[in-house]
Amino acid sequence: MKRDFEFEGSGFGYLWLCIWTTVLSVITFGLFFPWAYSAQQRWICSNTYVNGRQLRFDGTGFGFFFQWLIIMVLTTITFGIYIPWGYCQFKRWETRNTVFADEY
């Protein structure tokens, strides 16, 4: 039976992705996080199909870095109160940069 949503990623592929993105994020004291998250989203989308159409993630770490920095600053100065709004910004950026691979 064909499903509308399919995911074909492997545990080993995700493990390797998590290892190198975590190591680089730790080494850079978290500054690499936007690039790490972008790499993870690219991997997830490249392994996800909706009605047989593969997804593609076009976001970049640089494209998210300054927005992420603002979210971190506002979360810090509001003692965490800004987290729900920051999370929504984060998800908007993520969905704006997710498209079907066969489109443009």
Side-chain angles (χ1 to χ4, degrees):
M1 177 164 121
K2 183 118 171 97
R3 304 260 179 199
D4 293 336
F5 296 88
E6 294 181 41
F7 181 76
E8 297 181 353
S10 71
F12 182 73
Y14 188 65
L15 175 65
W16 173 242
L17 178 67
C18 286
I19 289 171
W20 75 262
T21 56
T22 300
V23 167
L24 286 174
S25 292
V26 168
I27 289 171
T28 62
F29 301 102
L31 292 177
F32 186 73
F33 175 78
W35 286 270
Y37 191 79
S38 294
Q40 291 175 0
Q41 280 305 113
R42 269 190 299 284
W43 183 84
I44 290 167
C45 286
S46 70
N47 286 288
T48 302
Y49 296 82
V50 179
N51 292 324
R53 296 174 69 192
Q54 184 179 29
L55 294 179
R56 184 182 75 226
F57 185 72
D58 292 335
T60 65
F62 186 75
F64 185 59
F65 181 76
F66 294 105
Q67 186 176 1
W68 172 79
L69 202 56
I70 290 168
I71 291 169
M72 292 296 100
V73 169
L74 289 174
T75 298
T76 301
I77 64 174
T78 63
F79 301 103
I81 293 173
Y82 189 74
I83 288 173
W85 290 271
Y87 182 77
C88 289
Q89 280 186 310
F90 184 60
K91 285 302 184 184
R92 279 188 208 102
W93 170 79
E94 185 180 297
T95 54
R96 266 194 316 265
N97 287 286
T98 302
V99 296
F100 286 108
D102 58 4
E103 292 179 0
Y104 175 57

